[in-house]
Amino acid sequence: MAHPKRKISRTRRDKRRTHYKASVPQIATCPTTGEPHLYHRAHWHEGKLYYRGQVLIDNSTEEENLA
């Protein structure tokens, strides 16, 4: 097994890690509802599941029938 001959200092270690950065997720706005959401993801708005501006699942009618 390889062993380091000398201890790597905190400065040298941190210089190596400067390129590891977290990126900010891109946020899209739904053209139908105006809700912000992640790209390529479906999102809920007022009991409906939207993807690319179209309703996939409509739970609002089921909730009204149960009440």
Side-chain angles (χ1 to χ4, degrees), residues 8-38:
I8 303 292
S9 68
R10 281 177 248 133
T11 307
R12 191 170 287 270
R13 177 199 66 200
D14 293 344
K15 278 190 215 175
R16 185 181 67 246
R17 293 179 181 175
T18 58
H19 301 291
Y20 300 135
K21 296 181 177 124
S23 61
V24 177
Q26 287 186 319
I27 303 291
T29 305
C30 181
T32 308
T33 62
E35 284 286 305
H37 63 91
L38 292 174

Side-chain angles (χ1 to χ4, degrees), residues 36-63:
H37 63 91
L38 292 174
Y39 276 103
H40 306 290
R41 303 290 193 284
H43 63 282
W44 289 97
H45 180 68
E46 297 179 355
K48 296 178 183 178
L49 183 67
Y50 288 91
Y51 182 68
R52 298 180 67 186
Q54 297 178 353
V55 177
L56 297 180
I57 299 173
D58 189 357
N59 284 347
S60 60
T61 56
E62 293 175 9
E63 293 173 2

